[in-house]
Amino acid sequence: EEEEEESSTEDASDDSSDEELSNRVGEIPMHWYDEYDHIGYNVDGKKVMKKSQGGDQLDAFLARKDDPNYWRTIHDDVTGEDIVLTEQELGIIRRIQTGQYAHANFDPYNTYVEFDYPDGKIHPIGGSDEPKRRFIPSKWEGMKINRLVEAIRKGLIKKEQEKPPVVWDLWNEETNDEKDMPKMPASAPPPKPKLPGHAESYNPPDEYLPTEEEKNQWALVDPEDRPYNFIPNKYDALRKVPLYSSFIQERFERCLDLYLAPRALKKRLNIDPESLIPKLPKPSDLRPFPTTMSIQYLGHTERIRAISIDPTGQWLASGSDDKTVRIWEIETGRCFWQTSVEDTVHSIAWNPDVSIHVLAAAVGDKVLLYNPGLASEEDAEKTEALLRGEQKGRETKTAVQWHIVDTDSEDYAQGLRVEISHEKDVKSVIWHAKGDYFASVSTEASPSSQVLIHSLSRQSSQKPFAKSKGLVQKACFHPSKPFFFVATQQHVRVYHLQEQKLIKKLLTGMKWISSLSIHPGGDNLIVGSYDKKMAWFDMDLSSSPYKTLKYHNMAIRNVSFHRKYPLFASCSDDGSVHVFHGMVYSDLMQNPLIVPVKILRGHEVVSNLGVLDCCFHPTQPWIISSGADNTIRLWI
């Protein structure tokens, strides 16, 4: 019953949010919005953002080949959506093109039914006599006329007197009253004609005389595109110059220009163009931020999809397509721990609590919880008790199956403690800031199982949504509030976990979201997409992006915020990592400062895949990136 109430609440909130997106601009030319990022306004006066459409002609060609409904798809400029025509609508279009009636069942030659009047009346519908009231004066109109006559006699209704026309004496110079003078437009002097040059001379220099080939080219050019409207000629004396044949025509056109062409005085603004460019601080003034590569971590044989740094900043975990999970020492680059798994590692994440040394890895359709044995004796005992479910006891009712690894098995010796089985492959794992809860995202699972929230202390799982609003790509917890961010392909929805309702829906304007990251303050977030764009959202400002950054040439794989420094970064398939300075001020009246400071290049692009993941060091202004070239790099 609780799940039905949650789903009904979410559906109602989502329907209300979708109704706000209807465009209410009316019947206007939609090209008025070509220069803006929106296509109109909804019923509340909010902007309706444009939806990203297919790219260049190559994408259109591929869509025409792959999509069987491409030939019957039309674009609605008002809503910004693509509409697939039905067979009935196509039939109407074909009938109109062939000159037929739009409706297939319409009969233009329907049989006319004659009315039979047995009494022999002339008119077929009715032939009654005219009523008497049409031939006698109206009593009510007479009373109205009497009232008007009485009002005229009493002087209540007066005839409007025509005002004499106002005549101004334009040539009267004796008056000094400027208020009595009419407001005349300021006189604009006519443009001066261009002064003649050497080519107009009757004896020009030889370099101005055209050759026969240049004369032929001059004759082929349109009159508007010719540099001169005549061919320069040379004469010995001025008396030998003949009459200019186009003299009268040119004088006439000059008079028309002076008479018909409107002229107005324009005040020239003395504005420095450089003053219009926003003044950003120099990157050297925004240090520290990573600039150079320091260490390469070599050992994986396939592309490295996920990396994570423990909260102490000493260890780095990585997962690769070679079906291994490794732990590295960050400052030395030494591989400290390694274990093999059964499938590809899609995501990996350390527990953010320093006292709980648990590493979660998304391997195939399972989430594996490891205890690598890197903690002290006290923390190790606390971690083992938590993984065994000895603190609060295990719950019997759970959404997915939890399996505790036997102490005598080989997997236990390698550090594996818990296996959590899902319906389909798990794409990402994210921890809550307190370290007790973590969420898993499985895009290919059923709508109710795409997002699961797991409790480590109770060793239970629950389905927060009875039905998802699309294919879920990423999920993330708020650092301090009970908010849960869920990113689908084109939107980011923010849910309140305690009240179990949707509180906000962010309109990204992107085609396919790839990553999501929350600012440590909790009021800002960045969203990356596969269509090369990254959007910065201010939660207190609007549901639309505050800034949209387009710096990458290929798809963005991941975005990340630094916990302490005002830094955030994005990695892409173009093999680069872009580092930005993002300062969020405590003053609500001041907008965040976003400045690109550095582009880190070093990864090689393999099979159109570049940098697959990146994350910041928790205490130092360092960033670590992993790519498809089987390497992990530390930038300091």
Side-chain angles (χ1 to χ4, degrees):
E1 294 178 358
E2 294 178 357
E3 292 182 354
E4 293 179 356
E5 294 177 359
E6 293 174 4
S7 61
S8 62
T9 305
E10 293 167 0
D11 293 339
S13 62
D14 188 70
D15 293 340
S16 62
S17 62
D18 291 337
E19 289 178 359
E20 296 176 358
L21 300 179
S22 58
N23 200 351
R24 300 300 180 91
V25 295
E27 296 292 334
I28 64 170
M30 297 306 298
H31 64 82
W32 291 353
Y33 291 92
D34 289 345
E35 299 178 359
Y36 301 93
D37 56 350
H38 60 282
I39 58 174
Y41 300 88
N42 58 8
V43 69
D44 296 330
K46 298 182 179 179
K47 295 180 180 179
V48 178
M49 305 304 298
K50 290 182 179 177
K51 296 184 178 180
S52 60
Q53 304 177 4
D56 52 5
Q57 296 181 358
L58 180 59
D59 295 338
F61 177 77
L62 294 177
R64 184 167 64 251
K65 294 297 182 181
D66 297 337
D67 189 5
N69 295 326
Y70 181 82
W71 64 276
R72 63 169 64 188
T73 304
I74 61 175
H75 182 72
D76 190 2
D77 293 334
V78 178
T79 61
E81 297 179 352
D82 294 333
I83 301 174
V84 180
L85 299 178
T86 61
E87 293 293 335
Q88 183 179 3
E89 294 171 345
L90 291 174
I92 293 175
I93 294 175
R94 293 191 189 101
R95 285 191 292 272
I96 293 175
Q97 289 178 345
T98 55
Q100 302 178 6
Y101 290 94
H103 200 281
N105 299 329
F106 179 77
D107 186 9
Y109 307 102
N110 193 12
T111 305
Y112 179 75
V113 179
E114 292 285 349
F115 292 92
D116 187 15
Y117 291 91
D119 51 352
K121 291 185 177 180
I122 299 176
H123 301 289
I125 302 301
S128 59
D129 297 333
E130 294 289 337
K132 184 179 179 181
R133 62 179 178 273
R134 297 187 181 179
F135 302 98
I136 60 177
S138 175
K139 179 177 64 176
W140 305 107
E141 291 180 358
M143 295 173 63
K144 187 176 181 179
I145 292 174
N146 292 334
R147 288 196 297 269
L148 293 175
V149 172
E150 185 178 359
I152 292 174
R153 290 176 178 175
K154 292 182 179 180
L156 300 177
I157 299 177
K158 297 181 180 180
K159 183 180 179 181
E160 295 183 359
Q161 298 181 357
E162 297 182 359
K163 297 182 180 179
V166 180
V167 180
W168 303 95
D169 189 1
L170 300 178
W171 293 271
N172 187 10
E173 299 179 356
E174 297 179 358
T175 179
N176 295 324
D177 192 1
E178 296 182 356
K179 296 181 181 180
D180 297 337
M181 296 296 294
K183 294 183 179 180
M184 303 295 293
S187 60
K192 298 180 180 180
K194 185 179 179 181
L195 298 177
H198 293 289
E200 285 84 350
S201 175
Y202 72 93
N203 190 10
D206 295 338
E207 58 267 19
Y208 288 92
L209 298 177
T211 61
E212 292 296 333
E213 183 179 358
E214 292 176 350
K215 291 181 180 179
N216 296 332
Q217 293 179 357
W218 181 87
L220 297 176
V221 178
D222 295 336
E224 295 81 4
D225 300 335
R226 294 172 181 173
Y228 303 106
N229 55 357
F230 62 92
I231 298 177
N233 294 319
K234 191 170 185 179
Y235 300 97
D236 298 337
L238 183 60
R239 63 178 180 274
K240 296 182 180 180
V241 178
L243 180 64
Y244 182 46
S245 59
S246 303
F247 176 77
I248 298 178
Q249 181 67 23
E250 288 187 358
R251 293 297 95 186
F252 177 70
E253 292 179 355
R254 170 69 175 171
C255 293
L256 289 181
D257 293 340
L258 297 176
Y259 172 65
L260 298 177
R263 300 188 301 274
L265 290 176
K266 293 184 179 180
K267 296 181 179 179
R268 181 176 298 178
L269 300 177
N270 296 325
I271 299 177
D272 187 10
E274 296 182 357
S275 63
L276 301 177
I277 302 176
K279 295 182 180 180
L280 297 178
K282 296 181 180 180
S284 59
D285 299 335
L286 302 177
R287 292 181 183 275
F289 55 83
T291 57
T292 57
M293 186 184 67
S294 176
I295 301 176
Q296 285 193 30
Y297 305 88
L298 304 178
H300 286 289
T301 58
E302 295 291 337
R303 61 174 65 102
I304 304 169
R305 293 185 178 271
I307 56 175
S308 178
I309 304 177
D310 74 320
T312 62
Q314 183 180 0
W315 308 103
L316 169 68
S318 63
S320 173
D321 285 358
D322 58 4
K323 301 180 181 180
T324 60
V325 177
R326 297 171 183 258
I327 294 180
W328 314 77
E329 191 174 9
I330 293 180
E331 294 184 356
T332 61
R334 179 172 61 96
C335 182
F336 184 80
W337 181 84
Q338 177 182 351
T339 183
S340 300
V341 294
E342 298 177 354
D343 205 341
T344 302
V345 182
H346 293 285
S347 178
I348 197 167
W350 282 95
N351 192 308
D353 192 352
V354 181
S355 62
I356 302 175
H357 292 264
V358 177
L359 178 64
V363 180
D365 59 349
K366 297 180 180 179
V367 175
L368 307 181
L369 301 182
Y370 287 94
N371 182 9
L374 305 176
S376 60
E377 295 182 1
E378 182 180 356
D379 293 342
E381 293 178 359
K382 180 180 178 181
T383 303
E384 289 294 336
L386 186 62
L387 291 174
R388 288 292 174 183
E390 299 175 358
Q391 293 186 353
K392 297 182 180 180
R394 300 181 59 186
E395 295 186 3
T396 56
K397 294 183 180 181
T398 179
V400 293
Q401 186 66 32
W402 286 61
H403 174 67
I404 306 298
V405 180
D406 296 335
T407 57
D408 299 335
S409 63
E410 183 180 355
D411 293 336
Y412 186 88
Q414 294 181 358
L416 181 61
R417 297 295 183 266
V418 180
E419 291 184 356
I420 307 174
S421 301
H422 292 68
E423 294 181 4
K424 298 292 182 179
D425 291 348
V426 181
K427 298 301 181 182
S428 66
V429 177
I430 186 69
W431 285 91
H432 189 268
K434 295 183 179 180
D436 188 19
Y437 291 92
F438 64 96
S440 61
V441 176
S442 182
T443 305
E444 300 176 356
S446 59
S448 61
S449 302
Q450 290 187 10
V451 181
L452 297 177
I453 298 179
H454 313 274
S455 175
L456 186 60
S457 59
R458 296 184 177 89
Q459 292 192 358
S460 63
S461 304
Q462 58 180 342
K463 300 177 181 180
F465 309 111
K467 182 180 179 182
S468 61
K469 311 300 180 181
L471 297 178
V472 179
Q473 304 298 318
K474 290 288 182 179
C476 190
F477 291 97
H478 194 278
S480 58
K481 298 179 181 179
F483 294 165
F484 190 58
F485 296 80
V486 178
T488 56
Q489 289 183 346
Q490 297 180 354
H491 303 91
V492 178
R493 292 177 172 85
V494 185
Y495 296 93
H496 198 292
L497 295 178
Q498 293 181 352
E499 299 179 0
Q500 299 181 0
K501 67 177 182 179
L502 177 69
I503 60 175
K504 202 160 192 178
K505 182 178 180 181
L506 305 180
L507 307 177
T508 62
M510 299 176 178
K511 191 175 182 180
W512 199 305
I513 295 175
S514 63
S515 54
L516 174 71
S517 182
I518 312 295
H519 190 270
D523 294 334
N524 297 268
L525 72 151
I526 51 177
V527 180
S529 68
Y530 291 113
D531 49 352
K532 315 171 189 178
K533 293 188 294 185
M534 179 173 59
W536 177 295
F537 285 90
D538 191 344
M539 298 288 293
D540 298 332
L541 183 62
S542 172
S543 59
S544 301
Y546 164 67
K547 289 288 184 182
T548 300
L549 309 176
K550 300 179 183 178
Y551 290 100
H552 289 284
N553 298 326
M554 298 182 69
I556 296 177
R557 289 290 175 176
N558 191 29
V559 293
S560 177
F561 269 111
H562 200 286
R563 296 182 183 178
K564 294 185 177 180
Y565 291 92
L567 297 173
F568 68 97
S570 63
C571 59
S572 171
D573 283 339
D574 57 6
S576 64
V577 178
H578 288 241
V579 182
F580 299 85
H581 176 87
M583 175 61 73
V584 178
Y585 300 96
S586 59
D587 186 6
L588 299 179
M589 299 301 293
Q590 191 171 2
N591 294 327
L593 176 63
I594 301 174
V595 182
V597 293
K598 189 64 178 179
I599 300 177
L600 305 176
R601 292 187 176 92
H603 287 276
E604 297 180 0
V605 178
V606 180
S607 300
N608 293 328
L609 295 176
V611 185
L612 301 180
D613 197 3
C614 65
C615 61
F616 281 99
H617 194 276
T619 57
Q620 299 293 334
W622 303 344
I623 189 171
I624 301 177
S625 61
S626 64
D629 56 352
N630 313 336
T631 62
I632 304 174
R633 300 169 188 262
L634 170 64
W635 309 84
I636 62 175

